[in-house]
Structure formats: C-alpha cells, structure tokens
Amino acid sequence: MTTALSKAEISYIRSSLLSAPPLRADGRSPEDFRPIAIETGVAPLANGSARVSIGESRTGRETEAEGAGGGTEVVAAVKLEVDGVGEDKEGGKVICNVSCSPAAYPHLSSPALDDLQSDLTSVIGSVLSHPSLCPKNLVIVPGQKAWALRLDTIIFADAGNVLDCLMMACRAALVDTRVPSTRSVEYRAPVRRNEVPDDIMDVDEGRNGPSSLLETREPSRVVDFELTDYWDEGEVLEVRDSWPV
Amino acid sequence: MAQSTFDRRRVNGPEESFPPVFDDEDDGGLGWVAMRNRGAEDIRPIFLQPGLVSQANGSAYIETENTKLACAVYGPRQSKTTTYSERGRLNVEVKFAPFSCVRRRAPLRDAEDRAVAIAVHQSIVSSICLELFPKSTIDVFIVVIENDGTEGCIASGSIAASTALADAGIEMLGLVASCSASVRGDEIRLDPVEKEVAAADGTVILACMPALSSVTNVYQSGRVSAQGALKCMELCQGRCIDVHAVMAQSLLSSRASMP
C-alpha cells in the first residue's frame, strides 16, 4: 500500500517467501514481530493517551533514508465528554475515530484517504464500541448523564501492519484513561429533584464541591475492562499484499 | 433546530419528524429466546432470480423473508482512470433505499453503506478472474430494498452479486455463497435476523466457494469464543453448499427459459 512494487520486486519477494525456509527481506522469521515501542501519557490534555510504533522510527534515524521508511506509528488519545442519555439506556459509550495523516500516505488522493479512514474507523469501532465492552463506570447520573468516551487515533506513518498498531494504541490509551470521579447531588429545595434538565450543576458540584477533589484525576485505575480479549475480537481477514517482508 | 442540509433534488419531508413508536417491540433478550419458526441450523428460504434488470450486463434479485435486494453488474468496461492496471478492477457500491429500514435513512452515502460494500467486495473479488480484464472495471451495484440486519444484507448481497456476475457471463473460478451465524453463549443460530443479532453476543459471516472448498471472507464481530467461531464457520460452510445449489439451479433455469 505504501510503495508501488514492480513485477521484479514482487517476484523476488514471492520467491523468497516460497523457498524453504521462508526468507523475509529484513531477515525475520515468518512469526517474528518488529520491535514495538509503547508510551502512554503522551498527550497531557487528554484523559488518556498512548503512542505505539512498530519497527524503528525515532531511534533508528539512519534507516529513514531507505525507501521502506521507518516504522508504523500511531497515536491514540481519549477525551471524555458529558453526554445526556435516554432513560432506558445503560449510559456511557465508546466512540472511535481513525484519521490518517496525509504524510503517511503520500500517494493516496484525498477521497481515497477518506475512504481508508472510514474503513479503519469501522474496523476499530466494531471492535471497541461493542455494547458488551462498555465499561460500567462511564455512568455519572444513571438514566441522565454519562461519559461519552471519544477515542481518536492518528496514523503518522504506515510501514505495514497498521491494524495491529492501531489496536495496541487504542488499548494502551484506554488503559491509561482516568475517569474523573463524580458525585451526584440532589437539590433539597422544595420542588426540584434530580430530574431537572439543567442537571449540569450536579456534575460540577460533584467535582468542585468542598470535600471532593479539585483535581479531577485519581491515581487508581478507574476504568474497568476485560483487556485480554481485545486481540481476538472482531477479526477481519483481509488479503493484504502490502505487509512488510 | 439547526437548519438541515437543504436537498434541492428531492422533495424534503418536514424538518422535524419522528418515526412512530410501537408498543410491543421491547422484548430485549426475548428476541432470542422466542421460538424461531425454523430450526437453529436452518436458513430462511431464498428466492433468487437472475436477469431482472434488462439494461445491465447481468443482474440478480434475491429475497429471503424480510431481506430483499437487487444487484446489477455492468462490465467489464473501460476504466476511467488513465493509469494502466494489469488486473481488472472490481467496484462494489451498495445503497440502502430510504424506506429499507425501520427509520428512514437519508439518501446519502454513509458508513454502513461502505461497510457492506467492502464486505461484499472482499467476498467476491477472489472468485473473479481479474487478470483477464486489464484496464477494465467491473461495476457491481446493489440496492437494498428491505433491510433485516446488516449480516443478512452482506450475505444476501454476496450471493446476489455472484449470481449477477455469472448472469453477465464474466469468467469466474466459482460461485460464491455466503451465510451468517449468531452466537449467544453456547447456542449458534444460522441466518439471524436483526432482532436476533441485537440479542446475540457475536456474529460470524462466512463467504466461500463450495465448488473449490475455499473460503473467501470471514467476518466475526462481538464476543465469540475461538471454538464457537470455528463451529460457526463449519456450520456456515455446510449451509453454503445448499445455497450454492440454489444459485446454480436459478441460473440454469433462467438460461433455459431464455429464447
């Protein structure tokens, strides 16, 4: 996908892969992964963030001169927004978005880039936005307010295997997320109860009230997931000839 | 109310309108527990008719209970792009009619259209001998007339597309049949409808070429154990052989009835 291969290159790669033992251009065995680097907390304004790069990107500067480029790099960040929910819904949802930097795909035209973005978004979205995975502590006031977790990812470079990189970055960003703790408040005044539409006061008081924290982050991990399943869910088997050799 | 995009080409309905709320529908998990009028491993009966759209090179109309869609194939025709491509291109476009779903869909392309199109593309692209059509494009247009679950659309779309391609006389390695399954706990049900999918833990869609015993597309989403996914794939493959027989029969009878 990133580079156009001539027929000679294709036949060279194919014949090396078909030989016994299979040979790959960088000497890896068919089951080897390139070195993975994960950093969390890269975006200070986000509720959680992570950067994953597969293959050398920062450290191996001398390899960037090669045609194949450094590695695949993806940054994911989580922002939480307060959202109203209907009475019958559980509350809380995870919304994913993938955007591709044009620098990562210099040969793709703009509509093709948009299509690629929406394809990757729907793949990641179908895995992570599944209702069975929605974490329970995204609810603030049951039946009225909940957090909407917006997970945005940007692909900065693509040297193959971008889906694995995206999944790793999303998972790392979700693990890094800290949900501000809230307390719901009732008005004791004569008529009003929590069903008042201008409920936004409740949430603010929960956070900035006298006895609660002014800083909205807690060191304990507040978001609860079953994380081990992420790799296996939502498999889409696609024929991709462009994976690195 | 924000000004919605003014679509001058169509007669717009009122700006604010809501679909009616039906009283009895909220059964939650009951959609699964309620008895289907067929067995867990039975698929809905298929009506498949090739050759319906006369101006297309090939076409097919498929109807299975509440999923109805029509597929038209144009091609191979010359690619509009100037870049030379040795292999032909397959272009699949899916459109949901505004009246196809319970809530009216705006007649704009959105993400679900594209997701179905990609799945159908993935299912049929390996069955077509694209090396025989350099510089050409084969266009497959699918219109969904009634939608009962995305999985049903993808499966029926693949079946209709493969039948339409055969009807158009395009060289293929084999007919592609497709089947979907939904899983809840240990129970597997084939060919789920929308209610069953909503109540299920996960779904598997499988497209394969029974004549060559090869699988072209597997799509699994939701929470399914590895064993469960493999079992779904086996059941779907078994069913695809039956679907293949239906497709072959409908193509033969449409050819036989041609003058």
Side-chain angles (χ1 to χ4, degrees), chain A residues 12-50:
Chain A
Y12 169 71
I13 295 174
R14 191 170 277 177
S15 53
S16 353
L17 285 178
L18 289 173
S19 67
L23 302 166
R24 296 170 84 169
D26 52 1
R28 289 186 281 151
S29 86
E31 292 165 16
D32 273 344
F33 237 85
R34 286 172 291 174
I36 305 171
I38 308 183
E39 271 177 71
T40 53
V42 295
L45 291 176
N47 296 94
S49 55

Side-chain angles (χ1 to χ4, degrees), chain B residues 17-209:
Chain B
S17 78
F18 306 95
V21 176
F22 296 101
D23 193 23
D24 52 349
E25 291 308 326
D26 191 19
D27 48 0
L30 218 51
W32 182 276
V33 175
M35 274 294 285
R36 315 208 306 179
N37 50 3
R38 51 192 162 112
E41 293 186 11
D42 289 338
I43 55 174
R44 294 170 287 175
I46 298 176
F47 171 77
L48 180 59
Q49 174 75 41
L52 231 53
V53 178
S54 50
Q55 70 213 62
N57 292 102
S59 61
Y61 171 75
I62 186 169
E63 190 176 310
T64 60
E65 277 191 10
N66 285 336
T67 303
K68 302 176 175 72
L69 50 93
C71 174
V73 167
Y74 290 85
R77 43 187 188 180
Q78 189 177 0
S79 281
K80 296 187 181 52
T81 59
T82 49
T83 54
Y84 172 74
S85 68
E86 215 176 70
R87 299 187 80 206
R89 263 187 270 255
L90 176 69
N91 178 35
V92 177
E93 283 187 24
V94 173
K95 199 154 166 58
F96 283 82
F99 45 82
S100 58
C101 305
V102 176
R103 297 188 67 122
R104 177 184 180 269
R105 291 175 72 107
L108 310 158
R109 268 192 80 195
D110 71 347
E112 192 179 351
D113 292 1
R114 197 172 151 75
V116 176
I118 292 186
V120 173
H121 181 278
Q122 173 71 24
S123 306
I124 54 178
V125 72
S126 9
S127 72
I128 310 177
C129 305
L130 285 172
E131 305 79 34
L132 300 176
F133 309 113
K135 304 190 283 188
S136 311
T137 303
I138 300 176
D139 288 315
V140 176
F141 299 112
I142 298 180
V143 174
V144 180
I145 300 170
E146 193 176 340
N147 174 25
D148 196 3
T150 316
E151 288 74 16
C153 280
I154 296 176
S156 300
S158 310
I159 297 172
S162 195
T163 310
L165 286 166
D167 188 47
I170 294 175
E171 275 104 335
M172 306 201 293
L173 296 171
L175 286 175
V176 174
S178 179
C179 184
S180 56
S182 58
V183 179
R184 183 161 153 136
D186 286 329
E187 204 193 333
I188 297 177
R189 288 199 182 174
L190 291 185
D191 204 10
V193 294
E194 193 161 7
K195 286 219 197 81
E196 289 174 335
V197 169
D201 290 334
T203 54
V204 175
I205 310 174
L206 179 107
C208 64
M209 288 195 274

Side-chain angles (χ1 to χ4, degrees), chain A residues 91-111:
Chain A
K93 50 187 182 213
V94 177
I95 304 161
C96 306
N97 184 45
V98 176
S99 62
C100 306
S101 141
Y105 299 99
H107 59 289
L108 278 187
S109 64
S110 170

